[in-house]
Amino acid sequence: MAGVDKCILCGLCRQDSSLLKATGRETLTARGKAILIKRGILDKIFYIDPLTNLTVLHCPTDVDISEEIQKQRVKMVENGIETKANRQMIENIREYGNPYGYLKKEEITQVYS
Amino acid sequence: MIKLFSKKFLYFPGCLASAVLPNIVDNYNKLFYRLQLDFFSLPENTCCGAVAFTNGYEKDFEDLKEKNLSLLKKRKIKSLVTNSGNCMYTFALHYDLPVQHVSQILVKYLHKFPVKYEEKVSIYDSPTLAVYEEPRKILDAIGFEVIDLEKNRKNTLLCGAEGGMIQNVPSLAENLSRPIFQMCKTEKLIVSDPLVFYHLKKNAPKNITVLELSEVLI
Amino acid sequence: MISWLEKLVGKENVSDEIIEREVYSTDASQIKGKTDKVIWPETVKHIHQIVLYTRRNKKNIVLRGAGTNFVGSVVPQNSLVLDFTKMNKILSFTKDSVVVEPGVVLDDLNEFLQKRNKFFPVVPEDSAVCTIGGMCGVNSFSIYEKKFGRMKDWVLEVEMIDGHGKLRRQGNEVIGFEGILGIITKVKLKIIDKIIEKSMNVFKCANIEEALSKVSSLRDNPECISVEFISPTAALLSGLEHKAYLIVEYLGFEGEIMDEQEMRRIWSIRKDVFHKLASKGFTLLEDPSLPLENMPELLYWLEKKGIPSFGPICSGILHPCFSERESSTQMYQLVLQLKGTTGKTSGIGLLKKDFLSEVSKAETISLKKRFDPDNILNRGKVIEWQE
């Protein structure tokens, strides 16, 4: 599997792109995101991705776009670019050890002690 | 590398199933108990950290992973069984632990499930879970005729439950589920991942009943 | 301007966000252009109003389908970009024809037609993503060109909005001008019955000479609908034997392979060749075309340089794949010496203007004067134009 530097912008990842079919936006395809990553752009658009690499089937250079997008999300968190839902999720994990906030604080101590 | 699977396994349903689908968790506990399998569950619903990792919170993921590994070591757990595609991927790739999907365990006991159905059903293949044949074998064994969706197995479509889209872009996630239902020509659609089940059940049209695998086995 | 456009097409169908401006500033050519706005029209009225606005404000428009050709056809030059992905409806169907919007993807059209026992036989290499509008723009080539010709041969009628903002109904004389004459809003296409009886042969030729001799004999075979060539270098790099391959498809049962699944398997091996070559660094795909009698010299030159190639050789077209630009430039110098040209599969765009013949140039200029004298459509593509 390759990084976005190997993306040749051929557009073959448009094939079977559910996000493209649902929105009509090139920006949401693997190629669109590869262009943004190559140009160093951090944007919440990277949170709109399935991270399934379904499009790698059609990519002639086997770009691992999911891994590249996950790395972008790490950079975005470092730069404080988060969604409201993700913020809530991670606060729940930090406090309760669970994204849904199910466990009470004392219970999580018990589990991990 | 495939690791040897320990006879005694931890059934790890994942945080979504534990928090939101306790009846499904209950089903699998009952199934494993009836089959007299050597397993146990944790009473608490811990999280593997998949959502932290996939959304870019690496440090939080590493903290969770460290805690989970120490817990698993303390309980002498060598292998896991889960419903969740996200948990399966996380344990295999990031924890480097042997992990299987519930269907990969149940498929070994087909002779113990009675044939009780005679109808057609469809099955949706989650791209995150990527376990295709075992659920089909189970459904076939209990009398269903499985009709594949036009896009199936590794050519499956997204359903909208992937990559955090449910919480971040809920209306797009809902739109993405529609082509799945359009492909489904039967009244019942079976899924075997809890997040996908939760999402598709919530968005199903009136003429399609979405069922989790355990609901047709119990 | 945003608020007027938002009112016209809807807020969700216009964007000047940086992410859209960056993504739509380029295409498969990797040339970086500039756009300040991307619009997704959904109706003829949208397009008409956008053209009138563009004229009033002395702006220009780039028309974008899949953006998959390699010659910069949809690179914006301080342009508004119109993305036709949402204009993807099949509007009507009869036993002889189908009317479609420009954003319909070719494979989706054939999937629709197949269910009705029909077929549209212009099938380019990238049929899974290319749009009917884009195919009209480049007068698309087909893997079945030998029997069924090119896109222009199958267009019955075009509805388009020209650079004046006038809605026109034209015949196929406007096909192949890469969007510089008008914006296609509807196309009426001829269709044929689904091909049920077909077969295949795979010839493994010891060398190029043997392959070309076979091609000469196949050229005159009316039942032969497609001849795909894979050079020895391409074959070796793709994991096949180091031979010259010919994959030949026939109407009827002349070929030895008749099992549909086996034929699909062979086609998928052929379609996978570019994937295999690109993964080894041969990512620059070109499309020289030349008379078949001059093909040997080009093929020997490519083999000597270790440059893999494949393509619909019976139609005089080859797709050599390069790992760097310099060799492809040298290749085109040879192609010109061999009385060849380029652009038959991907068009002229920004990069291949030198290859436009004087006859074609004259015809293009004449049509441009008629349909878009103010040069608001796909500015800078195909020809240089003084307004």
Side-chain angles (χ1 to χ4, degrees), chain C residues 366-385:
Chain C
S366 160
L367 287 167
K368 184 76 169 171
K369 270 188 192 153
R370 186 176 153 204
F371 291 111
D372 183 33
D374 299 324
N375 200 20
I376 67 157
L377 301 173
N378 272 10
R379 189 173 284 181
K381 318 298 189 307
V382 188
I383 50 169
E384 298 302 338
W385 183 256

Side-chain angles (χ1 to χ4, degrees), chain C residues 27-46:
Chain C
D27 64 9
S29 68
Q30 302 191 41
I31 299 169
K32 190 170 192 287
K34 191 168 181 294
T35 176
D36 54 8
K37 236 161 293 291
V38 182
I39 307 165
W40 290 265
E42 294 194 50
T43 67
V44 180
K45 182 188 166 188
H46 289 168

